[in-house]
Amino acid sequence: MRYISTRGRAAPRDFEGVLLAGLAEDGGLFLPETWPALSTAEWRALRGLPYAELSARLIHPFCGDALPFEALRAMTGAAYARFGHPAVAPLIQLDHRTFALELFHGPTLAFKDLAMQLLGPLFDHALARRGERVTIVGATSGDTGSAAIEACRDREALDVVILHPLGRTSEVQRRQMTTVLSPNIRNFAVEGDFDTCQDLVKGMFNDAPFRTEQRLAAVNSINWARIAAQIPYYAYAALALGAPDRPVAFSVPTGNFGNVFAAWAARRMGLPVARLIVGANRNDILARFLAANDMSVRGVEASLSPSMDIQVSSNFERLLFELLDRDPAATEAQMLRFREEGRMPVPNAAWRRATTLFRGFTLDDDATLAEIRRLKDTAGYLADPHTAIGTAAARALAPEDPGVPVVVAATAHPAKFPDAVEKATGARPPLPPALADLYGREERYAVLAPDLAEVEAGVRAHTRRNVAA
Ligand SMILES: Cc1ncc(COP(=O)(O)O)c(C=O)c1O
Ligand SMILES: N[C@@H](CCOP(=O)(O)O)C(=O)O
């Protein structure tokens, strides 16, 4: 399997190449040159498989010769054995046609663990084979950071630097990152929002000498391997509900567009997906795009669903490339204009194509609290604020055909956002036993200005220290 950049000017790579490269050198994102597709009979043959087996079978077509199937199967087996539920990603029925796909039974209680627990061993495998080490730089609005840190801590060939927006995550999210004191981990709190952090990460990748010197790698969903590892849970849910002989819809609380793009990729592989519902908080750029082709940045605002406090969604570029019939020059022109002007006039034909599958939905904080309360009252279900946006979106925008079930990506455990959940329901969700002492642990992080030179200096100081150690 070969991968090409959405901007067309970076050399194509194999799976291992894109795993280690992260962002393409031309600033674009990697995508498979051709999409693997399964026939109806092949999808049927996957029904009833355990999660680890299903994920190995669906991810392997993206790996090609770079990784033998048995090696990948051993990795998925070990990764998902760590999860706190035997189904790994259980499906919970909320009403007659709505289901929550719980993606938060991994070690850091958010959907990021599904991919990140696999990324750690994938990095190890590739780096051991090459005799190399890398510096991982990542940006987080709260969940990617802790999942990456948990997956990469104490791994010999990895140094990790995570940027989070100062004061803009929940306290549980921050502590999950900053209390990990492993010598290969470094946390920076940046005076800015998530978009600032993500921009700094891309700035480091686009600084070619620094990128080479530090041998940078990515754990954000700019890394194709993240998306590939998020595809199987959509198939797992759909197969359980009757696919490929029954279509399903997904409602996905969305920020960086990686999770819903993985659902789009599952559909591209032949899974019958009738609709993709994109849920947003007041940072509603994607909902405005889908409603009225208004892709314009208005500045990130803080909300009760901080992981979705994002305006510049990295993975939108992957969808845009597909909507523009894989025209890299047109994609690059759009992205450069978006960066310069903060708005992107997507050609009408491409926008209309997007709206045949995607619907956008926005929920403010008060309505999010009301939805958390409603779920508790009607289904006895405790949802975190991100998931609640997904369930409200599912009710509002379910397909007209009542025979199509709607699966909501339940992206985080309610205990990660105890203040919001308590405010909505009066009940404070306790942390699971493995994190029960989180508030008593020592924290370590440095506060940095949103300045590329300062951040690069911080990364250098971290990796030098590790080289010396
Ligand atoms: C709990 C939670 N829900 C939803 C999202 C949005 O997902 P994505 O960034 O893949 O769109 C995130 C962040 O990624 C998250 O942490
Ligand atoms: N919501 C994310 C933001 C980064 O998303 P990613 O999927 O690109 O890693 C977070 O919680 O950090």
Side-chain angles (χ1 to χ4, degrees):
M1 167 73 70
R2 273 180 17 131
Y3 290 83
I4 52 171
S5 164
T6 50
R7 301 195 187 181
R9 292 182 295 100
R13 307 274 161 84
D14 66 3
F15 179 75
E16 196 172 283
V18 296
L19 169 74
L20 296 177
L23 197 67
E25 289 80 359
D26 57 7
L29 274 65
F30 284 111
L31 272 173
E33 193 167 41
T34 54
W35 285 98
L38 281 71
S39 66
T40 303
E42 286 170 324
W43 281 113
R44 281 195 195 116
L46 296 175
R47 283 176 179 162
L49 290 179
Y51 189 84
E53 177 69 24
L54 177 71
S55 60
R57 295 211 201 170
L58 290 177
I59 295 168
H60 194 255
F62 292 104
C63 304
D65 299 336
L67 185 64
F69 178 73
E70 291 307 327
L72 178 62
R73 178 150 64 181
M75 287 182 203
T76 60
Y80 300 123
R82 286 196 71 189
F83 278 54
H85 194 291
V88 180
L91 208 49
I92 312 293
Q93 187 152 9
L94 299 177
D95 63 28
H96 65 290
R97 69 181 294 198
T98 314
F99 297 79
L101 175 63
E102 291 189 340
L103 301 172
F104 53 70
H105 293 281
T108 70
L109 313 180
F111 77 92
K112 311 288 179 172
D113 289 324
L114 272 297
M116 219 64 92
Q117 284 296 310
L118 199 54
L119 236 61
L122 282 172
F123 273 124
D124 268 0
H125 181 272
L127 294 170
R129 214 180 58 73
R130 293 171 175 227
E132 293 175 10
R133 51 183 296 121
V134 293
T135 302
I136 288 173
V137 287
T140 187
S141 53
D143 290 323
T144 292
S146 57
I149 288 170
E150 180 58 34
C152 299
R153 63 192 291 178
D154 303 318
R155 287 190 191 269
E156 195 47 44
L158 305 177
D159 288 315
V160 181
V161 177
I162 298 294
L163 313 185
H164 72 265
L166 178 65
R168 287 176 179 249
T169 69
S170 81
E171 184 174 1
V172 172
Q173 288 179 311
R174 189 194 71 237
R175 286 179 172 276
Q176 282 183 296
M177 296 185 273
T178 58
T179 59
V180 176
L181 307 182
S182 301
N184 72 327
I185 304 295
R186 187 87 172 108
N187 281 287
F188 293 140
V190 175
E191 292 166 328
D193 53 34
F194 171 78
D195 284 0
T196 312
C197 296
Q198 181 154 258
D199 213 41
L200 287 164
V201 166
K202 288 185 176 171
M204 287 188 266
F205 274 95
N206 289 330
D207 177 347
F210 183 77
R211 177 182 185 147
T212 307
E213 169 203 294
Q214 291 294 320
R215 186 64 186 89
L216 290 188
V219 279
N220 282 110
S221 54
I222 55 175
N223 189 327
W224 169 255
R226 273 280 311 280
I227 305 290
Q230 291 176 200
I231 293 171
Y233 47 74
Y234 291 105
Y236 189 60
L239 292 168
L241 292 170
D245 300 301
R246 184 192 192 196
V248 297
F250 290 104
S251 174
V252 186
T254 295
N256 226 5
F257 208 74
N259 208 10
V260 76
F261 189 77
W264 182 92
R267 183 175 185 270
R268 188 69 185 71
M269 293 170 75
L271 196 70
V273 176
R275 181 169 290 178
L276 290 173
I277 304 166
V278 174
N281 60 29
R282 71 180 68 147
N283 299 287
D284 62 350
I285 181 167
L286 294 166
R288 281 187 281 117
F289 165 69
L290 291 167
N293 199 359
D294 172 15
M295 189 77 178
S296 57
V297 176
R298 289 188 181 158
V300 178
E301 286 185 43
S303 78
L304 290 178
S305 43
S307 302
M308 287 156 56
D309 292 348
I310 297 174
Q311 290 272 332
V312 179
S313 306
S314 280
N315 285 281
F316 185 77
E317 179 164 348
R318 287 190 164 114
L319 180 68
L320 183 68
F321 180 69
E322 299 288 353
L323 293 173
L324 295 173
D325 294 321
R326 301 197 137 209
D327 179 340
T331 305
E332 179 162 45
Q334 291 276 347
M335 292 311 300
L336 292 178
R337 184 158 174 194
F338 187 49
R339 187 173 173 78
E340 276 160 26
E341 298 174 11
R343 55 186 303 277
M344 183 196 299
V346 175
N348 255 326
W351 170 68
R352 259 191 241 103
R353 277 170 72 187
T355 60
T356 58
L357 177 66
F358 289 92
R359 294 282 189 287
F361 178 84
T362 307
L363 203 66
D364 68 19
D365 281 353
D366 285 345
T368 302
L369 292 174
E371 177 67 4
I372 296 174
R373 212 162 22 245
R374 191 194 69 81
L375 285 165
K376 172 105 181 323
D377 292 345
T378 59
Y381 192 76
L382 210 53
D384 93 288
H386 306 75
T387 303
I389 291 175
T391 58
R395 272 188 303 123
L397 293 169
E400 293 67 29
D401 178 352
V404 177
V406 187
V407 175
V408 178
T411 48
H413 192 292
K416 293 193 94 161
F417 307 94
D419 296 339
V421 175
E422 186 175 22
K423 193 168 175 194
T425 64
R428 195 168 181 83
L431 283 166
L435 291 170
D437 65 342
L438 187 67
Y439 285 88
R441 294 182 194 165
E442 182 191 346
E443 284 192 85
R444 205 175 292 164
Y445 63 96
V447 176
L448 293 189
D451 175 77
L452 184 61
E454 194 171 320
V455 173
E456 288 185 345
V459 172
R460 277 200 181 98
H462 173 58
T463 54
R464 262 204 308 272
R465 191 192 69 209
N466 274 279
V467 170

